[in-house]
Amino acid sequence: MRKYFVLVVPAALALALVLGQMRTRANAPIAVGVLHSLTGTMAVSEKPVVDGTLLAIEEINARGGINGRLLRAVVADGASDDATFARQAERLIDQDHVSVIFGCWTSASRKTVKPILEKYNSLLFYPVQYEGMETSPNIVYTGAAPNQQILPAVKWFFHNVGSRFFLIGSDYIFPHCANETIKDYLRFAGGRVVGEMYLPFPSHALKSAVSAIVKARPDVILSTINGDTNIDFFEALHAAGVSPQKMPVVSFSMGEEELRWVNPLDVAGNYAAWSYFQSLQDPDNQRFVQRFKARYGSKCVTDDPIEAGYFGVYMWAGAVAAARSEGVNEVREALRYRSYAAPEGTVYVDAENQHTWKRIRIGRIRADGQFEVMWASEELIHPVPFPVTRTEAQWNELLNSLYVKWGGHWANAENRARAEGRLAR
Amino acid sequence: MKTWLLVVSMVAVAVGVAWLERSPVPTWVIGLGMVSGWVVDSILGLMLAVRYVPYNQLEVPHDFLSSLCQVIGTIYAVLISFSIIISWQVFTATQTIVAQEANAVADIDRMARGLPVPIYRQIHEAARTYTHLVIAHEWPAMASGQESPLAYAALVDLWHIYSDFQPSLRSDPLYQQSLSRMNDLSGARRVRLLAIHSRVPTVMWILLYGGGVIVVLTSYLFRVRRFWLQALVIGLVSGMIAFCLFLTAAMEGPFQGDVCVSPDAFSFVLDHLQ
């Protein structure tokens, strides 16, 4: 009897230990990465996206998590530097073992992180509109593709305002590619590009750039300027007496959050094209804005990337719940045509390219720093990452040529260094 | 067998068949269940009739009963054949409209090849997206009685390409032809979506089921010396009625169940659009 007892007791203990481990594992929180610039030139835009992402995580945890497991957010700072983004992404995946990363803003940072995601077969939810020309099984694009933001907006201004356009942007991959797309369209439609200029990233001396714009006398200024350069740009325009009635600026990277940093009276009357504006009257949006303000303060605002960061978490959580697994392959499968009633309206994940079906809206800046929606697309727009004016191979060739020209970077590092005064010559 | 047991068995079989019709089992299982359920119930009913119908005291002439049953049978036969034919016609008409819609997509893409390359690329991409979404998103949605907002958005996208045509290109005969085919496409799509909700009216179903039960019940008014022979005949009749009812039900929603219109026409077009 004692012999059996000696055998049975350790076996039972071992079994209890294994079951206990399994139970602990089953209830352990799911680690999720949040990777944005908390410092540097992009922090002004990216910090609020972190807030939107964390709000969604908190709401999901308050409802009991996903399939009984809470979410544990691991926040990392990309510091507005592509190399730092890459390092932090690798750390999140390799050391913190996150199941998914919600992050990146600039295309340069996303493109630097992409090979790491593909190496580890991890998943990134990217919340910002971008230039397209990319698909990856490891990225879910919750921002707009060019045919969902840039092209419809240019088309609208071409038909409603004028045919002479001035293109100005930050000197990195997104503005260059976006402007190529715009030029292709205008060439076909019969419009004219009267000037094209790229500003160092960041850039604060914009007098000469504004002089060039004034001299070219465009009907519309299309701006793909990113980060806090927008503040200086609008100040310089205002100082030069450029009014939105004569030369409206259409911004593709400036939302409510960036408007907080400029005098709204200086920019009122200009435009932006996004899928989401805080001023949308939909009850779902009103509730979202209320929750956001209740959490982060009444002076805070919501904008398109914040909202995309927010619904991206819900989209992922829904897929994890449906797949009953946070494994990348299972989640990817569950994301096919998954829909979510986001504050901007119901959005869907495209099964073929993992971009999001969404609407576009054109908003005019009001004196209170909010937008008045002037036009919205009739229906959801199918995301087409590679604009159809050129073949996929031609777009890839353009990307490669810029990458080579910039010495293996996705931004013009020389221009940036010159702006920061680091180049002696 | 005791009377209460017979009645309980009949009710149990009827409830089982009704449950089976609403359960997510393969269509052939439902068909088999319906036919066998009706056969079993009709034989159980015959057993009750043999026990309780006072055949000797029936004062109705046999010829009169026979004529009455013939009239009821004929009316029911007309009714059920009419239902089957209508369901079949809706089914084949839907098949045709699906083929017409797919053909319109193929024609639009083919004609776009004669237009400037940037426009052709837009049309090709939009046509491919629409076709893909109809197969991958709308067909499963139609099975649950819904349409796909994505497929509709893709169609709107396609329309926008034509409405954005430069005035100089609008005189191109290909443009005119393409617009005509776009209208065909939109029209066919509307008809297809209307067919999702094509249903046999509830009153008609009551008539079909009630009529079937009456036909079986009237057959109990006749007495055949050998029970097995009468059971065989009544079983065959009720089995046939059940099969007709099953056929009508199976074809009722052209996009639901195993007997449904397939998206093969779209798949064929998509293969050529890739």
Side-chain angles (χ1 to χ4, degrees):
Chain A
M1 188 65 188
R2 186 182 288 173
K3 191 173 74 182
Y4 290 119
F5 189 73
V6 167
L7 284 172
V8 165
V9 169
L13 280 173
L15 187 68
L17 202 67
V18 169
L19 288 173
Q21 284 280 339
M22 282 169 69
R23 192 176 160 74
T24 310
R25 166 101 181 81
N27 291 324
I30 303 171
V32 298
V34 182
L35 174 57
H36 280 289
S37 299
L38 305 176
T39 53
T41 188
M42 288 309 298
V44 61
S45 299
E46 292 191 63
K47 270 183 185 170
V49 183
V50 174
D51 292 342
T53 308
L54 292 178
L55 176 67
I57 291 171
E58 284 172 14
E59 286 177 359
I60 290 167
N61 282 342
R63 288 175 202 164
I66 309 170
N67 298 332
R69 294 177 69 188
L70 296 179
L71 303 180
R72 181 171 61 84
V74 185
V75 182
D77 181 11
S80 308
D81 175 65
D82 305 336
T84 309
F85 264 97
R87 273 198 308 277
Q88 293 286 19
E90 188 146 25
R91 181 182 69 78
L92 284 171
I93 299 166
D94 201 29
Q95 291 176 27
D96 295 310
H97 304 292
V98 297
S99 299
V100 62
I101 296 174
F102 301 98
C104 297
W105 178 295
T106 65
S107 288
S109 63
R110 187 196 66 252
K111 281 189 178 294
T112 319
V113 165
K114 185 173 159 245
I116 294 156
L117 298 165
E118 288 171 351
K119 177 181 161 192
Y120 290 99
N121 189 29
S122 193
L123 200 60
L124 168 75
F125 275 70
Y126 177 64
V128 187
Q129 42 69 240
Y130 81 120
E131 73 283 356
M133 300 162 209
E134 181 183 293
T135 54
S136 169
N138 298 91
I139 302 177
V140 179
Y141 305 80
T142 53
N147 74 309
Q148 296 173 301
Q149 187 210 23
I150 295 167
L151 286 174
V154 173
K155 211 180 275 185
W156 191 84
F157 281 93
F158 177 74
H159 289 299
N160 294 287
V161 179
S163 60
R164 290 163 58 84
F165 291 83
F166 194 101
L167 314 180
I168 186 161
S170 302
D171 202 0
Y172 77 106
I173 193 76
F174 162 62
H176 278 269
C177 293
N179 287 342
E180 286 302 311
T181 309
I182 293 168
K183 283 189 280 183
D184 280 359
Y185 170 74
L186 290 177
R187 200 175 300 129
F188 177 71
R192 203 173 146 208
V193 176
V194 294
E196 186 176 357
M197 184 178 283
Y198 295 96
L199 304 171
F201 190 41
S203 181
H204 302 290
L206 299 169
K207 208 173 170 184
S208 61
V210 169
S211 301
I213 293 172
V214 172
K215 203 174 164 188
R217 290 188 294 111
D219 295 322
V220 182
I221 304 163
L222 299 178
S223 166
T224 42
I225 295 172
N226 268 251
D228 53 15
T229 308
N230 272 307
I231 302 165
D232 301 279
F233 177 63
F234 279 100
E235 278 174 4
L237 277 179
H238 186 68
V242 176
S243 74
Q245 287 74 33
K246 283 184 190 167
M247 274 182 225
V249 180
V250 186
S251 294
F252 295 113
S253 294
M254 181 154 165
E256 289 87 338
E257 182 57 36
E258 288 78 9
L259 283 176
R260 290 176 69 199
W261 304 95
V262 294
N263 180 1
L265 292 173
D266 291 354
V267 291
N270 287 304
Y271 298 84
W274 295 102
S275 298
Y276 169 87
F277 290 114
Q278 183 183 302
S279 55
L280 293 180
Q281 292 303 309
D282 188 78
D284 280 349
N285 177 47
Q286 307 271 316
R287 282 192 288 273
F288 165 63
V289 175
Q290 272 173 12
R291 287 198 302 272
F292 193 83
K293 284 179 181 288
R295 175 68 181 81
Y296 297 109
S298 59
K299 286 186 178 171
C300 287
V301 293
T302 56
D303 66 13
D304 186 284
I306 295 172
E307 188 251 4
Y310 173 84
F311 82 68
V313 178
Y314 273 102
M315 197 69 100
W316 173 80
V320 171
R324 302 199 72 77
S325 161
E326 68 270 25
V328 171
N329 295 336
E330 290 80 4
V331 169
R332 196 186 289 132
E333 190 56 34
L335 277 169
R336 291 167 59 87
Y337 295 124
R338 175 158 289 279
S339 66
Y340 178 70
E344 68 179 78
T346 302
V347 292
Y348 293 80
V349 176
D350 189 83
E352 284 188 300
N353 57 39
Q354 286 187 180
H355 286 60
T356 312
W357 285 71
K358 46 184 13 197
R359 287 169 198 270
I360 185 219
R361 296 177 171 97
I362 292 174
R364 187 163 61 191
I365 303 171
R366 298 191 312 223
D368 63 353
Q370 289 294 318
F371 288 89
E372 178 192 358
V373 178
M374 305 298 294
W375 175 80
S377 59
E378 186 186 340
E379 278 300 320
L380 292 166
I381 301 176
H382 170 229
V384 181
F386 288 88
V388 292
T389 47
R390 301 185 199 181
T391 62
E392 200 171 316
Q394 286 171 323
W395 286 121
N396 285 332
E397 204 179 302
L398 171 75
L399 291 174
N400 287 337
S401 69
L402 289 170
Y403 187 70
V404 170
K405 193 170 109 184
W406 292 332
H409 294 95
W410 292 109
N412 190 347
E414 192 180 320
N415 204 349
R416 178 178 182 164
R418 194 181 295 123
E420 288 172 355
R422 278 196 263 119
L423 281 186
R425 287 186 291 265
Chain B
M1 196 186 273
K2 291 186 174 172
T3 303
W4 67 266
L5 200 58
L6 278 174
V7 174
V8 167
S9 304
M10 277 181 76
V11 172
V13 169
V15 169
V17 170
W19 171 81
L20 198 64
E21 279 183 61
R22 281 156 188 78
S23 57
V25 293
T27 308
W28 68 267
V29 176
I30 296 174
L32 196 66
M34 273 181 79
V35 172
S36 32
W38 272 70
V39 170
V40 169
D41 258 5
S42 63
I43 293 171
L44 291 174
L46 178 66
M47 288 164 80
L48 277 174
V50 168
R51 193 170 298 177
Y52 291 107
V53 176
Y55 290 102
N56 298 333
Q57 294 168 26
L58 281 178
E59 290 176 357
V60 186
H62 195 273
D63 288 350
F64 174 74
L65 259 183
S66 175
S67 306
L68 191 71
C69 289
Q70 274 180 14
V71 170
I72 291 170
T74 308
I75 290 171
Y76 188 69
V78 170
L79 198 69
I80 202 150
S81 57
F82 176 74
S83 304
I84 291 173
I85 288 167
I86 291 293
S87 296
W88 178 248
Q89 274 180 344
V90 169
F91 191 84
T92 49
T94 310
Q95 270 180 327
T96 309
I97 210 77
V98 165
Q100 284 171 353
E101 189 184 346
N103 281 342
V105 176
D107 290 351
I108 286 162
D109 181 70
R110 197 166 39 247
M111 282 189 284
R113 290 171 201 206
L115 297 169
V117 173
I119 294 180
Y120 166 63
R121 285 202 189 128
Q122 285 182 62
I123 293 171
H124 179 76
E125 172 63 27
R128 196 195 64 79
T129 302
Y130 176 72
T131 312
H132 172 75
L133 284 168
V134 166
I135 298 166
H137 200 243
E138 193 149 64
W139 230 262
M142 288 194 303
S144 50
Q146 290 167 331
E147 58 185 274
S148 158
L150 301 187
Y152 176 65
L155 183 67
V156 171
D157 243 12
L158 195 53
W159 267 113
H160 279 170
I161 299 169
Y162 286 95
S163 55
D164 285 350
F165 259 47
Q166 290 166 289
S168 58
L169 286 169
R170 292 187 182 193
S171 53
D172 191 321
L174 283 175
Y175 175 76
Q176 305 294 337
Q177 281 292 322
S178 299
L179 269 192
S180 163
R181 295 301 278 147
M182 276 298 295
N183 279 319
D184 293 343
L185 169 61
S186 297
R189 176 185 165 76
R190 269 193 298 276
V191 177
R192 168 167 62 80
L193 294 178
L194 280 174
I196 296 175
H197 307 292
S198 125
R199 287 274 179 281
V200 175
T202 311
V203 178
M204 192 70 176
W205 274 123
I206 293 170
L207 202 61
L208 287 173
Y209 273 93
V213 171
I214 289 168
V215 169
V216 175
L217 286 179
T218 49
S219 68
Y220 293 159
L221 297 176
F222 298 92
R223 185 81 176 94
V224 177
R225 193 173 298 161
R226 295 180 195 279
F227 176 81
W228 66 266
L229 187 63
Q230 191 170 5
L232 181 72
V233 173
I234 289 177
L236 281 173
V237 169
S238 57
M240 184 68 96
I241 289 170
F243 189 73
C244 289
L245 289 172
F246 161 71
L247 210 59
T248 312
M251 287 188 301
E252 189 188 13
F255 298 107
Q256 281 107 41
D258 291 346
V259 184
C260 65
V261 177
S262 74
D264 288 351
F266 281 101
S267 303
F268 183 76
V269 170
L270 186 63
D271 287 345
H272 289 79
L273 288 179
Q274 298 287 12

